[in-house]
Amino acid sequence: MPAPIIEVDRVSKSFGPLRVLEELSFTVAPGEKLALIGPSGSGKTTILRILMTLETINSGHIKVDGEYLFHMPKNGGLAPADERHLHRMRAKIGMVFQLFNLFPHKSVLDNVTLAPILTKGVAKADAERQAMELLDMVGLADKAKAMPAQLSGGQKQRVAIARALALQPKIMLFDEVTSALDPELVEEVLNVMRRLAEETDMTMLLVTHEMGFAHDFADRVLFFDRGSIVEEGPPDEIFTNPKEERTQAFLKKIIAAGQRV
């Protein structure tokens, strides 16, 4: 078995008195597609933000691609990571957020090329060529010169996916990427993610309330509640024959709301 690309070891996280993650441990294999599901406030998005180093941890360790994320070797032990180390680790990971976060004053093409040019020193012509390939992949090559305000929500989210891919990360994180979209725009974004899952060997972590998509997308599903993993397993097992009462109750509510699982 290959070494895990992500190792989360007894990680706890609090925001003031609120304990969000409780001694959390799990691993992700290279190329694995992992869906994180569970009620709001169960810690799913916090995990993605921690992996992206947008949040720190209170205790425990995380390794990404064989290296500690928040720590670095020093004098035979471990010391808190400096900014240079964190910057290098961030380059391994791309994240697509719920609310796009595009630069409103820059064109679609500029949004996709900016990070490779500034952070990796990619020549402008090379960055633009790669950006056009990515925009073509997400079905938006014809919108390269458009401004974000001229795009629908679904189009903005597809640009955000292209922008994250432009840095060629080993790991992609998707945080509720369809929850801010009108229902008729959801499918166009999910189709891009399906294609990514099917056509690349990229490791992908998905936080979603779209249970039908999680079922089709994931190699493995983790069900979270109150900062802990209650149950994990293949999608067919979790969605059709969950063992834990808490998982059963959650999915019962999802089905009652009319969602496919």
Side-chain angles (χ1 to χ4, degrees), residues 117-136:
I117 291 171
L118 292 181
T119 67
K120 289 193 168 184
V122 177
K124 184 177 180 181
D126 293 336
E128 288 185 349
R129 183 168 57 252
Q130 181 199 34
M132 290 305 299
E133 290 174 0
L134 291 169
L135 289 171
D136 184 57

Side-chain angles (χ1 to χ4, degrees), residues 2-23:
I5 194 167
I6 297 173
E7 300 174 71
V8 176
D9 181 24
R10 293 168 295 169
V11 165
S12 293
K13 171 66 178 176
S14 297
F15 294 104
L18 179 63
R19 191 83 151 177
V20 182
L21 300 178
E22 187 73 53
E23 292 279 315

